[in-house]
Amino acid sequence: MPMSNETGRDSRAARVTPLPLAFLLLGTLAVHVAMFLNRPAASYRVLALDGDAQAVGLVAASSAVLPVVLAIPMGRWSDRGKAPALLLGGGAVMVLGSLLLAHAGSLPSMAASNAILGVGQLALMVAAQSVIADLSTPAQQDRNFGLFTAAASLGQLLGPLLGGWVISGRDSAELLEATTRAFWVGAGAAVLIVLFYGLMVFVLRGSTFGTSAPAGETHQPGRGSALAMLRNRQLSVAVFVSFSVMATVDLLVAYMPVLGEHHGLSPTVVGVLLAVRAGFSFLSRLLIPVLLRHVERLLLLAINATLAAGTVFGVVVIDDPITLAVLLMVLGMSLGLGQPLTMTWVVREAPTQLRSTALALRITANRVAQAAGPAVAGGLSTLVGVTGPFWLMAVLLTASTGAILPLRRRPRA
């Protein structure tokens, strides 16, 4: 008799020790240290190359252009058991992207190098999220996705702090030299990605991790339409909420240096502010099991999107570093819940054989946010100044609340 979906997932998860999960979390930490060190460094490098706010947005968007078309194919590869190859290959590509950024001397070469870095991160996130889903029982999903995104938040905290410390120059020549040092540090962090994910693959060798269909399941992994899944209203709203949160986080990382320059804040202060946001996102993700015992998932997402939108308005009008730090604490707590809660939401709404593909669909939306958001924000900045990207964040978060609330009133089938 074929094994049920839940039983199959439970039996595989039961065979997994904490060791591979620890290696996965350490690898995820290294991914986000590298990315969130490189991204602000790239913004400063663009400014040092005489680029303006629009150029910052276009270079930031370049990391998401190729992932928009590659995410779903990578999700299908992961559904078919290729997660180990994606993990190791993605880490190697991130090392390459960091080294290319260190040698980039023009805006086009910055954009091309950033695009390569984005492809590496995409492969890592598609495969890692698939592994988390594959090794978690339904009861463990919120906790494990919370730990996974908490590791990401810790990396987002350490990356800007490390980058702010390394980037200490003020004029163009000093910034060029300082950002080169930062990209070399980012390459070192990317080497750790290959090490930790490689150890996880070694520990899990011979297992069936990385495929969506449980043992004994008759469904063929990766078979089915990805876009047809969006007819599921719950799944499509989950994807949109993830899109809005990711756009906000990325715009904040890309444009906080620009806003900081406008207000006369040093790179070190901006790095601390971004680290504060990431630190409180880390804290909120550790609290997910507690929060879900008291607040229903959709209500929690709606409350946090609304709170984040209001906080972004405050960031626009306040230039005092202490007050900004308090606002970014609140923003971090709010934004931190969006990604892990939508990951579990997507996994539970997707067909079993397309679970990795559904997660990749969500990542595709995130990459569209990363590609279109900075480009739109760069255009807005030319019209209304450096505050334009922050108004865009507030609009997206408010729209998320508007999309979630009708689902709370509509009974599930």
Side-chain angles (χ1 to χ4, degrees):
M1 181 180 295
M3 190 179 296
S4 70
N5 293 357
E6 187 166 321
T7 302
R9 268 180 275 175
D10 286 352
S11 65
R12 278 196 292 178
R15 293 199 299 269
V16 177
T17 67
L19 187 59
L21 179 62
F23 286 140
L24 179 65
L25 296 179
L26 288 170
T28 302
L29 170 65
V31 170
H32 287 82
V33 167
M35 287 302 299
F36 280 76
L37 186 156
N38 284 330
R39 284 178 182 172
S43 295
Y44 284 115
R45 180 78 153 224
V46 170
L47 296 175
L49 292 170
D50 298 323
D52 56 12
Q54 188 170 16
V56 169
L58 291 173
V59 169
S62 66
S63 69
V65 173
L66 290 174
V68 168
V69 297
L70 292 177
I72 290 177
M74 285 185 180
R76 291 191 183 278
W77 296 339
S78 185
D79 276 325
R80 293 165 183 163
K82 303 300 183 183
L86 288 173
L87 288 171
L88 299 178
V93 171
M94 280 197 67
V95 174
L96 174 63
S98 299
L99 294 176
L100 290 174
L101 281 170
H103 291 89
S106 66
L107 297 180
S109 62
M110 284 290 298
S113 303
N114 213 32
I116 292 171
L117 193 72
V119 171
Q121 188 202 19
L122 170 70
L124 294 169
M125 290 300 96
V126 168
Q129 289 177 31
S130 300
V131 171
I132 288 285
D134 192 53
L135 301 183
S136 303
T137 66
Q140 296 171 335
Q141 285 170 350
D142 280 313
R143 184 203 68 186
N144 288 350
F145 277 124
L147 290 173
F148 173 74
T149 52
S153 289
L154 188 57
Q156 292 168 19
L157 184 156
L158 295 175
L161 278 179
L162 192 56
W165 176 66
V166 173
I167 303 170
S168 56
R170 297 300 297 174
D171 62 33
S172 294
E174 290 176 340
L175 272 179
L176 282 172
E177 183 180 349
T179 52
T180 297
R181 291 196 301 268
F183 293 135
W184 276 99
V185 174
V191 170
L192 293 177
I193 298 169
V194 180
L195 172 65
F196 289 126
Y197 282 151
L199 287 170
M200 187 200 70
V201 170
F202 177 77
V203 170
L204 290 174
R205 67 192 185 283
S207 73
T208 55
F209 87 99
T211 59
S212 288
E217 180 64 55
T218 57
H219 296 302
Q220 290 183 309
R223 289 297 182 89
S225 170
L227 294 180
M229 288 189 288
L230 290 178
R231 299 192 190 107
N232 180 329
R233 174 77 172 168
Q234 293 272 339
L235 194 148
S236 62
V237 171
V239 168
F240 175 70
V241 173
S242 180
F243 167 94
S244 301
V245 172
M246 178 57 71
T248 299
V249 171
D250 262 49
L251 288 173
L252 191 68
V253 171
Y255 280 94
M256 201 66 197
V258 180
L259 188 67
E261 287 281 310
H262 179 72
H263 289 318
L265 303 177
S266 71
T268 301
V269 171
V270 171
V272 169
L273 290 172
L274 290 174
V276 166
R277 194 282 308 169
F280 277 80
S281 289
F282 171 78
L283 177 62
S284 70
R285 287 164 173 176
L286 294 180
L287 295 175
I288 283 176
V290 176
L291 292 171
L292 288 177
R293 284 200 291 269
H294 299 283
V295 185
E296 182 263 335
R297 180 187 308 275
L298 296 187
L299 178 59
L300 185 59
L301 282 167
I303 290 171
N304 279 277
T306 304
L307 185 59
T311 306
V312 167
F313 282 118
V315 171
V316 170
V317 299
I318 292 170
D319 58 6
D320 174 62
I322 302 300
T323 308
L324 281 173
V326 173
L327 289 173
L328 286 169
M329 290 177 190
V330 177
L331 190 58
M333 290 290 291
S334 303
L335 294 176
L337 299 175
Q339 296 302 320
L341 292 180
T342 55
M343 286 176 191
T344 303
W345 194 1
V346 165
V347 165
R348 293 183 177 180
E349 293 294 332
T352 300
Q353 75 276 15
L354 288 173
R355 199 166 52 198
S356 297
T357 304
L359 286 167
L361 187 62
R362 174 188 161 280
I363 292 175
T364 300
N366 289 354
R367 294 305 179 265
V368 169
Q370 291 176 308
V376 172
L380 282 175
S381 68
T382 63
L383 296 175
V384 300
V386 296
T387 60
F390 294 86
W391 299 123
L392 178 60
M393 298 179 214
V395 168
L396 287 172
L397 292 166
T398 303
S400 292
T401 303
I404 293 167
L405 290 177
L407 296 181
R408 296 198 66 246
R409 296 192 293 268
R410 183 181 303 169
R412 292 293 301 273

